Amino acid sequence: MITVLVVDDHPVVRGGLVGWLAAQPDLDVVGEAGDGQEALALVAALEPDVVLMDLRMPRMDGVTAIERLSATRPGVRVLVLTTYDTDADIVRAVAAGATGYLLKDAPLPQLADAVRAAARGETVLAPPVAARLVSHLRAPAAEAPTARELEVLAGVARGLTNAEIGRELFIGEATVKTHLLRVFAKLGVDDRTRAVMVAVQRGLLPPPG
């Protein structure tokens, strides 16, 4: 049985998702949340296998919640389900650690299959999202990371969250995210772990330990 937490700030949408997923014989919806902050508390209490996460919500957005879950609960798979398919939204969500990214026009059977795939640790991307992500990653390589960008990435290598890196470097969390996205583009990667690995391989960061 795969346990699922549904996170969406629209009660009607959330209720529909919960009803459909709960009707699947192998899926168990253990909770629902209306924003990222509530989601973090419920993940800590319920420890679901998969979190179905909207992006734009009050109090705490989906990307921030995904980042915190990646740092504190790396075993929980987060599947983004949203109406937004801009390059910025996709890159931010994937960079934060999302296992998959689906759009809300996805057929419900496809959504259930995506939850199952996410629980297996597989990456699940809606076709338009995959096309945008590939296009973004195939963009011409930019210049080498700046000293500040490498400072931020060094914080990631030490296991710090974006907020902790910001406090250490006296910059805002939004600025940290911007630096990380630029590093991802320059290194041709799409997640924090891979960015650190490539930076070490290229001699931009010292090896761990």
Side-chain angles (χ1 to χ4, degrees):
M1 184 70 72
I2 299 168
T3 55
V4 184
L5 174 68
V6 177
V7 186
D8 196 295
D9 62 325
H10 294 96
V12 173
V13 173
R14 192 170 67 241
L17 292 171
V18 168
W20 170 259
L21 295 174
Q24 307 305 305
D26 57 338
L27 303 181
D28 179 18
V29 179
V30 294
E32 52 183 284
D35 60 64
Q37 189 170 318
E38 187 181 359
L40 294 180
L42 287 177
V43 167
L46 302 172
E47 299 186 348
D49 299 313
V50 178
V51 177
L52 197 60
M53 182 84 73
D54 192 11
L55 283 187
R56 302 190 186 180
M57 299 177 291
R59 293 209 300 171
M60 181 186 292
D61 67 6
V63 170
T64 301
I66 294 168
E67 287 175 338
R68 297 193 182 180
L69 287 174
S70 296
T72 61
R73 304 270 176 172
V76 175
R77 312 294 184 180
V78 181
L79 181 60
V80 171
L81 182 66
T82 183
T83 56
Y84 304 101
D85 65 347
T86 67
D87 290 359
D89 285 315
I90 295 167
V91 171
R92 286 180 67 233
V94 173
T99 300
Y101 197 114
L102 293 180
L103 302 178
K104 286 184 177 177
D105 61 0
L108 289 174
Q110 180 182 326
L111 175 59
D113 287 341
V115 170
R116 297 180 182 105
R120 295 192 297 268
E122 299 173 12
T123 299
V124 184
L125 299 173
V129 171
R132 283 180 176 273
L133 195 55
V134 168
S135 177
H136 177 84
L137 295 177
R138 285 180 176 172
E143 71 276 11
T146 65
R148 176 60 93 183
E149 289 164 355
L150 289 177
E151 284 180 325
V152 170
L153 193 57
V156 172
R158 288 162 47 211
L160 301 182
T161 65
N162 286 357
E164 291 169 337
I165 294 170
R167 285 194 294 270
E168 188 172 280
L169 299 179
F170 303 102
I171 57 178
E173 191 171 347
T175 303
V176 172
K177 293 178 184 178
T178 299
H179 284 314
L180 284 176
L181 286 177
R182 288 175 178 166
V183 169
F184 293 165
K186 291 176 180 181
L187 298 182
V189 300
D190 59 3
D191 64 63
R192 299 160 73 93
T193 302
R194 183 66 181 160
V196 171
M197 187 184 305
V198 171
V200 170
Q201 291 173 345
R202 295 185 184 180
L204 298 173
L205 290 180

PDB file of all heavy atoms in Angstrom, residues 175-200:
ATOM      1  N   THR A 175      17.735  35.061  -2.960  1.00  0.00           N
ATOM      2  CA  THR A 175      19.024  35.260  -3.643  1.00  0.00           C
ATOM      3  C   THR A 175      19.783  33.938  -3.716  1.00  0.00           C
ATOM      4  O   THR A 175      20.433  33.632  -4.728  1.00  0.00           O
ATOM      5  CB  THR A 175      19.865  36.315  -2.909  1.00  0.00           C
ATOM      6  OG1 THR A 175      19.119  37.531  -2.839  1.00  0.00           O
ATOM      7  CG2 THR A 175      21.178  36.566  -3.631  1.00  0.00           C
ATOM      8  N   VAL A 176      19.700  33.149  -2.639  1.00  0.00           N
ATOM      9  CA  VAL A 176      20.343  31.836  -2.646  1.00  0.00           C
ATOM     10  C   VAL A 176      19.770  30.982  -3.776  1.00  0.00           C
ATOM     11  O   VAL A 176      20.509  30.342  -4.536  1.00  0.00           O
ATOM     12  CB  VAL A 176      20.142  31.125  -1.291  1.00  0.00           C
ATOM     13  CG1 VAL A 176      20.646  29.678  -1.364  1.00  0.00           C
ATOM     14  CG2 VAL A 176      20.857  31.874  -0.184  1.00  0.00           C
ATOM     15  N   LYS A 177      18.446  30.975  -3.903  1.00  0.00           N
ATOM     16  CA  LYS A 177      17.798  30.191  -4.963  1.00  0.00           C
ATOM     17  C   LYS A 177      18.256  30.657  -6.342  1.00  0.00           C
ATOM     18  O   LYS A 177      18.507  29.843  -7.239  1.00  0.00           O
ATOM     19  CB  LYS A 177      16.270  30.315  -4.850  1.00  0.00           C
ATOM     20  CG  LYS A 177      15.683  29.684  -3.605  1.00  0.00           C
ATOM     21  CD  LYS A 177      14.176  29.906  -3.567  1.00  0.00           C
ATOM     22  CE  LYS A 177      13.565  29.371  -2.294  1.00  0.00           C
ATOM     23  NZ  LYS A 177      12.109  29.628  -2.218  1.00  0.00           N
ATOM     24  N   THR A 178      18.362  31.979  -6.502  1.00  0.00           N
ATOM     25  CA  THR A 178      18.808  32.514  -7.792  1.00  0.00           C
ATOM     26  C   THR A 178      20.211  32.047  -8.113  1.00  0.00           C
ATOM     27  O   THR A 178      20.511  31.625  -9.240  1.00  0.00           O
ATOM     28  CB  THR A 178      18.761  34.056  -7.770  1.00  0.00           C
ATOM     29  OG1 THR A 178      17.412  34.474  -7.545  1.00  0.00           O
ATOM     30  CG2 THR A 178      19.253  34.627  -9.097  1.00  0.00           C
ATOM     31  N   HIS A 179      21.099  32.116  -7.131  1.00  0.00           N
ATOM     32  CA  HIS A 179      22.477  31.647  -7.344  1.00  0.00           C
ATOM     33  C   HIS A 179      22.491  30.170  -7.718  1.00  0.00           C
ATOM     34  O   HIS A 179      23.238  29.750  -8.623  1.00  0.00           O
ATOM     35  CB  HIS A 179      23.310  31.857  -6.079  1.00  0.00           C
ATOM     36  CG  HIS A 179      23.729  33.280  -5.847  1.00  0.00           C
ATOM     37  ND1 HIS A 179      24.258  34.084  -6.842  1.00  0.00           N
ATOM     38  CD2 HIS A 179      23.710  34.042  -4.727  1.00  0.00           C
ATOM     39  CE1 HIS A 179      24.544  35.275  -6.344  1.00  0.00           C
ATOM     40  NE2 HIS A 179      24.214  35.282  -5.060  1.00  0.00           N
ATOM     41  N   LEU A 180      21.662  29.363  -7.041  1.00  0.00           N
ATOM     42  CA  LEU A 180      21.646  27.931  -7.334  1.00  0.00           C
ATOM     43  C   LEU A 180      21.137  27.647  -8.738  1.00  0.00           C
ATOM     44  O   LEU A 180      21.695  26.800  -9.449  1.00  0.00           O
ATOM     45  CB  LEU A 180      20.777  27.200  -6.306  1.00  0.00           C
ATOM     46  CG  LEU A 180      21.404  26.998  -4.922  1.00  0.00           C
ATOM     47  CD1 LEU A 180      20.415  26.350  -3.973  1.00  0.00           C
ATOM     48  CD2 LEU A 180      22.663  26.147  -5.027  1.00  0.00           C
ATOM     49  N   LEU A 181      20.092  28.339  -9.154  1.00  0.00           N
ATOM     50  CA  LEU A 181      19.569  28.127 -10.507  1.00  0.00           C
ATOM     51  C   LEU A 181      20.613  28.494 -11.557  1.00  0.00           C
ATOM     52  O   LEU A 181      20.747  27.828 -12.584  1.00  0.00           O
ATOM     53  CB  LEU A 181      18.291  28.939 -10.716  1.00  0.00           C
ATOM     54  CG  LEU A 181      17.044  28.395 -10.001  1.00  0.00           C
ATOM     55  CD1 LEU A 181      15.864  29.318 -10.221  1.00  0.00           C
ATOM     56  CD2 LEU A 181      16.723  26.985 -10.476  1.00  0.00           C
ATOM     57  N   ARG A 182      21.366  29.554 -11.288  1.00  0.00           N
ATOM     58  CA  ARG A 182      22.430  29.937 -12.224  1.00  0.00           C
ATOM     59  C   ARG A 182      23.536  28.885 -12.264  1.00  0.00           C
ATOM     60  O   ARG A 182      24.074  28.560 -13.333  1.00  0.00           O
ATOM     61  CB  ARG A 182      22.999  31.296 -11.823  1.00  0.00           C
ATOM     62  CG  ARG A 182      22.054  32.460 -12.106  1.00  0.00           C
ATOM     63  CD  ARG A 182      22.604  33.766 -11.588  1.00  0.00           C
ATOM     64  NE  ARG A 182      21.710  34.882 -11.903  1.00  0.00           N
ATOM     65  CZ  ARG A 182      21.804  36.082 -11.356  1.00  0.00           C
ATOM     66  NH1 ARG A 182      22.748  36.334 -10.455  1.00  0.00           N
ATOM     67  NH2 ARG A 182      20.958  37.033 -11.699  1.00  0.00           N
ATOM     68  N   VAL A 183      23.867  28.338 -11.101  1.00  0.00           N
ATOM     69  CA  VAL A 183      24.879  27.278 -11.057  1.00  0.00           C
ATOM     70  C   VAL A 183      24.397  26.046 -11.817  1.00  0.00           C
ATOM     71  O   VAL A 183      25.148  25.434 -12.587  1.00  0.00           O
ATOM     72  CB  VAL A 183      25.210  26.908  -9.595  1.00  0.00           C
ATOM     73  CG1 VAL A 183      26.047  25.635  -9.545  1.00  0.00           C
ATOM     74  CG2 VAL A 183      25.963  28.039  -8.919  1.00  0.00           C
ATOM     75  N   PHE A 184      23.119  25.684 -11.604  1.00  0.00           N
ATOM     76  CA  PHE A 184      22.568  24.529 -12.320  1.00  0.00           C
ATOM     77  C   PHE A 184      22.695  24.715 -13.833  1.00  0.00           C
ATOM     78  O   PHE A 184      23.077  23.798 -14.559  1.00  0.00           O
ATOM     79  CB  PHE A 184      21.088  24.322 -11.963  1.00  0.00           C
ATOM     80  CG  PHE A 184      20.834  23.917 -10.541  1.00  0.00           C
ATOM     81  CD1 PHE A 184      19.557  23.995 -10.014  1.00  0.00           C
ATOM     82  CD2 PHE A 184      21.853  23.451  -9.732  1.00  0.00           C
ATOM     83  CE1 PHE A 184      19.304  23.626  -8.703  1.00  0.00           C
ATOM     84  CE2 PHE A 184      21.615  23.082  -8.414  1.00  0.00           C
ATOM     85  CZ  PHE A 184      20.334  23.173  -7.903  1.00  0.00           C
ATOM     86  N   ALA A 185      22.348  25.911 -14.305  1.00  0.00           N
ATOM     87  CA  ALA A 185      22.419  26.190 -15.744  1.00  0.00           C
ATOM     88  C   ALA A 185      23.856  26.117 -16.240  1.00  0.00           C
ATOM     89  O   ALA A 185      24.138  25.567 -17.313  1.00  0.00           O
ATOM     90  CB  ALA A 185      21.820  27.568 -16.029  1.00  0.00           C
ATOM     91  N   LYS A 186      24.770  26.666 -15.456  1.00  0.00           N
ATOM     92  CA  LYS A 186      26.174  26.694 -15.883  1.00  0.00           C
ATOM     93  C   LYS A 186      26.815  25.305 -15.868  1.00  0.00           C
ATOM     94  O   LYS A 186      27.689  25.018 -16.689  1.00  0.00           O
ATOM     95  CB  LYS A 186      26.973  27.647 -14.983  1.00  0.00           C
ATOM     96  CG  LYS A 186      26.593  29.115 -15.178  1.00  0.00           C
ATOM     97  CD  LYS A 186      27.322  30.030 -14.206  1.00  0.00           C
ATOM     98  CE  LYS A 186      26.929  31.485 -14.427  1.00  0.00           C
ATOM     99  NZ  LYS A 186      27.646  32.406 -13.510  1.00  0.00           N
ATOM    100  N   LEU A 187      26.379  24.467 -14.947  1.00  0.00           N
ATOM    101  CA  LEU A 187      26.948  23.122 -14.852  1.00  0.00           C
ATOM    102  C   LEU A 187      26.167  22.099 -15.672  1.00  0.00           C
ATOM    103  O   LEU A 187      26.597  20.950 -15.797  1.00  0.00           O
ATOM    104  CB  LEU A 187      26.996  22.672 -13.385  1.00  0.00           C
ATOM    105  CG  LEU A 187      27.872  23.514 -12.449  1.00  0.00           C
ATOM    106  CD1 LEU A 187      27.846  22.919 -11.037  1.00  0.00           C
ATOM    107  CD2 LEU A 187      29.307  23.598 -12.958  1.00  0.00           C
ATOM    108  N   GLY A 188      24.995  22.508 -16.205  1.00  0.00           N
ATOM    109  CA  GLY A 188      24.194  21.602 -17.018  1.00  0.00           C
ATOM    110  C   GLY A 188      23.536  20.501 -16.213  1.00  0.00           C
ATOM    111  O   GLY A 188      23.418  19.359 -16.668  1.00  0.00           O
ATOM    112  N   VAL A 189      23.098  20.837 -14.985  1.00  0.00           N
ATOM    113  CA  VAL A 189      22.452  19.850 -14.120  1.00  0.00           C
ATOM    114  C   VAL A 189      21.078  20.367 -13.720  1.00  0.00           C
ATOM    115  O   VAL A 189      20.727  21.518 -14.008  1.00  0.00           O
ATOM    116  CB  VAL A 189      23.300  19.575 -12.857  1.00  0.00           C
ATOM    117  CG1 VAL A 189      24.669  19.046 -13.240  1.00  0.00           C
ATOM    118  CG2 VAL A 189      23.448  20.846 -12.021  1.00  0.00           C
ATOM    119  N   ASP A 190      20.303  19.515 -13.020  1.00  0.00           N
ATOM    120  CA  ASP A 190      18.959  19.946 -12.645  1.00  0.00           C
ATOM    121  C   ASP A 190      18.614  19.626 -11.195  1.00  0.00           C
ATOM    122  O   ASP A 190      17.450  19.674 -10.801  1.00  0.00           O
ATOM    123  CB  ASP A 190      17.903  19.330 -13.577  1.00  0.00           C
ATOM    124  CG  ASP A 190      17.923  17.815 -13.554  1.00  0.00           C
ATOM    125  OD1 ASP A 190      18.718  17.249 -12.775  1.00  0.00           O
ATOM    126  OD2 ASP A 190      17.138  17.201 -14.292  1.00  0.00           O
ATOM    127  N   ASP A 191      19.628  19.298 -10.383  1.00  0.00           N
ATOM    128  CA  ASP A 191      19.337  19.122  -8.962  1.00  0.00           C
ATOM    129  C   ASP A 191      20.582  19.409  -8.127  1.00  0.00           C
ATOM    130  O   ASP A 191      21.702  19.481  -8.646  1.00  0.00           O
ATOM    131  CB  ASP A 191      18.791  17.717  -8.658  1.00  0.00           C
ATOM    132  CG  ASP A 191      19.797  16.616  -8.936  1.00  0.00           C
ATOM    133  OD1 ASP A 191      20.853  16.597  -8.278  1.00  0.00           O
ATOM    134  OD2 ASP A 191      19.521  15.767  -9.801  1.00  0.00           O
ATOM    135  N   ARG A 192      20.375  19.561  -6.831  1.00  0.00           N
ATOM    136  CA  ARG A 192      21.439  19.974  -5.920  1.00  0.00           C
ATOM    137  C   ARG A 192      22.559  18.935  -5.825  1.00  0.00           C
ATOM    138  O   ARG A 192      23.743  19.263  -5.861  1.00  0.00           O
ATOM    139  CB  ARG A 192      20.841  20.227  -4.532  1.00  0.00           C
ATOM    140  CG  ARG A 192      19.806  21.329  -4.510  1.00  0.00           C
ATOM    141  CD  ARG A 192      18.912  21.238  -3.280  1.00  0.00           C
ATOM    142  NE  ARG A 192      19.568  21.645  -2.046  1.00  0.00           N
ATOM    143  CZ  ARG A 192      19.524  22.874  -1.553  1.00  0.00           C
ATOM    144  NH1 ARG A 192      18.855  23.814  -2.179  1.00  0.00           N
ATOM    145  NH2 ARG A 192      20.127  23.148  -0.419  1.00  0.00           N
ATOM    146  N   THR A 193      22.169  17.670  -5.708  1.00  0.00           N
ATOM    147  CA  THR A 193      23.166  16.601  -5.559  1.00  0.00           C
ATOM    148  C   THR A 193      24.075  16.520  -6.775  1.00  0.00           C
ATOM    149  O   THR A 193      25.300  16.431  -6.656  1.00  0.00           O
ATOM    150  CB  THR A 193      22.467  15.248  -5.342  1.00  0.00           C
ATOM    151  OG1 THR A 193      21.640  15.338  -4.180  1.00  0.00           O
ATOM    152  CG2 THR A 193      23.475  14.141  -5.163  1.00  0.00           C
ATOM    153  N   ARG A 194      23.466  16.574  -7.946  1.00  0.00           N
ATOM    154  CA  ARG A 194      24.241  16.496  -9.183  1.00  0.00           C
ATOM    155  C   ARG A 194      25.147  17.716  -9.335  1.00  0.00           C
ATOM    156  O   ARG A 194      26.279  17.594  -9.816  1.00  0.00           O
ATOM    157  CB  ARG A 194      23.284  16.387 -10.373  1.00  0.00           C
ATOM    158  CG  ARG A 194      23.957  16.222 -11.722  1.00  0.00           C
ATOM    159  CD  ARG A 194      24.695  14.909 -11.844  1.00  0.00           C
ATOM    160  NE  ARG A 194      25.356  14.783 -13.129  1.00  0.00           N
ATOM    161  CZ  ARG A 194      26.362  13.957 -13.383  1.00  0.00           C
ATOM    162  NH1 ARG A 194      26.823  13.168 -12.418  1.00  0.00           N
ATOM    163  NH2 ARG A 194      26.914  13.900 -14.569  1.00  0.00           N
ATOM    164  N   ALA A 195      24.666  18.882  -8.923  1.00  0.00           N
ATOM    165  CA  ALA A 195      25.477  20.098  -9.021  1.00  0.00           C
ATOM    166  C   ALA A 195      26.744  19.969  -8.195  1.00  0.00           C
ATOM    167  O   ALA A 195      27.847  20.315  -8.647  1.00  0.00           O
ATOM    168  CB  ALA A 195      24.661  21.308  -8.567  1.00  0.00           C
ATOM    169  N   VAL A 196      26.607  19.467  -6.971  1.00  0.00           N
ATOM    170  CA  VAL A 196      27.777  19.279  -6.113  1.00  0.00           C
ATOM    171  C   VAL A 196      28.728  18.248  -6.728  1.00  0.00           C
ATOM    172  O   VAL A 196      29.946  18.443  -6.778  1.00  0.00           O
ATOM    173  CB  VAL A 196      27.345  18.832  -4.704  1.00  0.00           C
ATOM    174  CG1 VAL A 196      28.561  18.429  -3.869  1.00  0.00           C
ATOM    175  CG2 VAL A 196      26.579  19.945  -4.005  1.00  0.00           C
ATOM    176  N   MET A 197      28.164  17.160  -7.235  1.00  0.00           N
ATOM    177  CA  MET A 197      28.988  16.108  -7.827  1.00  0.00           C
ATOM    178  C   MET A 197      29.800  16.626  -9.015  1.00  0.00           C
ATOM    179  O   MET A 197      31.014  16.379  -9.120  1.00  0.00           O
ATOM    180  CB  MET A 197      28.075  14.952  -8.280  1.00  0.00           C
ATOM    181  CG  MET A 197      28.812  13.720  -8.772  1.00  0.00           C
ATOM    182  SD  MET A 197      27.652  12.455  -9.381  1.00  0.00           S
ATOM    183  CE  MET A 197      26.599  12.294  -7.937  1.00  0.00           C
ATOM    184  N   VAL A 198      29.122  17.363  -9.911  1.00  0.00           N
ATOM    185  CA  VAL A 198      29.815  17.896 -11.091  1.00  0.00           C
ATOM    186  C   VAL A 198      30.862  18.928 -10.685  1.00  0.00           C
ATOM    187  O   VAL A 198      31.971  18.957 -11.234  1.00  0.00           O
ATOM    188  CB  VAL A 198      28.799  18.511 -12.079  1.00  0.00           C
ATOM    189  CG1 VAL A 198      29.513  19.261 -13.194  1.00  0.00           C
ATOM    190  CG2 VAL A 198      27.902  17.419 -12.662  1.00  0.00           C
ATOM    191  N   ALA A 199      30.527  19.773  -9.707  1.00  0.00           N
ATOM    192  CA  ALA A 199      31.478  20.785  -9.257  1.00  0.00           C
ATOM    193  C   ALA A 199      32.729  20.141  -8.685  1.00  0.00           C
ATOM    194  O   ALA A 199      33.853  20.608  -8.918  1.00  0.00           O
ATOM    195  CB  ALA A 199      30.823  21.693  -8.229  1.00  0.00           C
ATOM    196  N   VAL A 200      32.566  19.045  -7.933  1.00  0.00           N
ATOM    197  CA  VAL A 200      33.721  18.332  -7.386  1.00  0.00           C
ATOM    198  C   VAL A 200      34.533  17.699  -8.510  1.00  0.00           C
ATOM    199  O   VAL A 200      35.773  17.772  -8.536  1.00  0.00           O
ATOM    200  CB  VAL A 200      33.258  17.258  -6.372  1.00  0.00           C
ATOM    201  CG1 VAL A 200      34.423  16.344  -5.982  1.00  0.00           C
ATOM    202  CG2 VAL A 200      32.673  17.918  -5.132  1.00  0.00           C
TER     203      VAL A 200
END
